[in-house]
Amino acid sequence: MTAGPGPLNVPLLDRLRSAGGAYVPVLELDPDPGRLRRDLDALDAFGFVLERHPFHGVAYRGPAPRLCPDQIEWELGTRRIGRRIAVWNRVTSTNDLAARAAGSTANDGLVVLAEEQTAGRGRRGRSWSAPPGSSILMSVLLFPPEPLVEAAWLTALGAVAVAEVVEDLIGEPARIKWPNDVRVRGRKVAGVLVERSSGSVLGLGVNACAELEDFPEDLRVTATSLRLLTGATVDRSELARGLIRRLDALYEEGLDRGPGALNAPWRDRLEPIGQPAVAETPTGPVAGRLIDADLRDGLTLATGSGAIRRLRAAEVMALSAAVGGRPPI
């Protein structure tokens, strides 16, 4: 796990960050100069970029390159998800670590984060690889009640949470590609993987700080990162903190109102709602205009003959916009 010399002074960090790059006078930060110097030295040592001026004070210049547990946990305020947070440097898979904790329901809401994973998984056994320190690699252990235990609902939970946080960060829409990808401008920025053990493990991978050359050559036209979208440094600790809070809020809403509470924000972001689409099923492709989608009832397509075709979510292996805007004949 990530280790440090001791707890960081996160209120001090927060005060510096809230100044928006302006200098904060030393006496405003702490009247004890020795204590302030020790706290600033600890922030420097962790990797936060601070600028000290003998007359103007201290200014915040950038986040630490590694995840900061103290920053993530400080006044997090969640009810369930994030009650315990473990941050690791290098693991095989965050999903594997979360699954190992599923022997006890006391671990409900456990969040596992890692800087690097050597055997990350995607859907259908695909691998998820990323340079160390470039992504959010997160898994959440949950013990949901029966109405929320479906993998499709938990996948939607992760996708909607990521989409909402991404939208807040970049100021433009994020879309959900069936069943588990989040995309911006048609390129994948995140993926979701749900696995079952004694509990349910919700895994998220978000491309945060990756540059184009960090992606495998065959993915450079289909993938993107928050760094590439914004042109700015991404504070991964704040990103993880936002994701944990959003997951917790959406999950609690599901517990209170049932699985249908997630349907509207998921449907509104689903590609390609309202457009010609092709759904891949075990018996072959089904083409038509995607007129509705429901987490419980599945997809509704209007075919070229005018017939209405409904597909259960479990039947749909992939969903895509029709080439050229028209379904194949």
Side-chain angles (χ1 to χ4, degrees), residues 178 270-280 285-292 299-304 311 316 318-329:
W178 182 282
L270 185 65
E271 297 178 350
I273 197 77
Q275 301 173 14
V278 179
E280 299 293 338
V286 177
R289 183 172 296 277
L290 182 61
I291 59 176
D292 199 9
L299 306 180
T300 303
L301 296 98
T303 66
L311 300 172
V316 182
L319 176 69
S320 60
V323 177
R326 299 183 61 185
I329 299 174

Side-chain angles (χ1 to χ4, degrees), residues 51 54 67 87 95 103 150 173-174 192 214-215 233-234 258-259 272 304 313 316 326:
E51 184 177 340
L67 292 168
V87 180
N95 268 23
E150 292 294 331
V192 181
D214 292 329
F215 295 110
T233 301
V234 177
V316 182
R326 299 183 61 185

Side-chain angles (χ1 to χ4, degrees), residues 51-74:
E51 184 177 340
R52 307 190 207 189
H53 191 280
F55 305 113
H56 300 309
V58 185
Y60 176 85
R61 294 289 181 249
R66 54 181 169 144
L67 292 168
C68 178
D70 292 334
Q71 182 182 354
I72 295 169
E73 294 175 349
W74 185 66

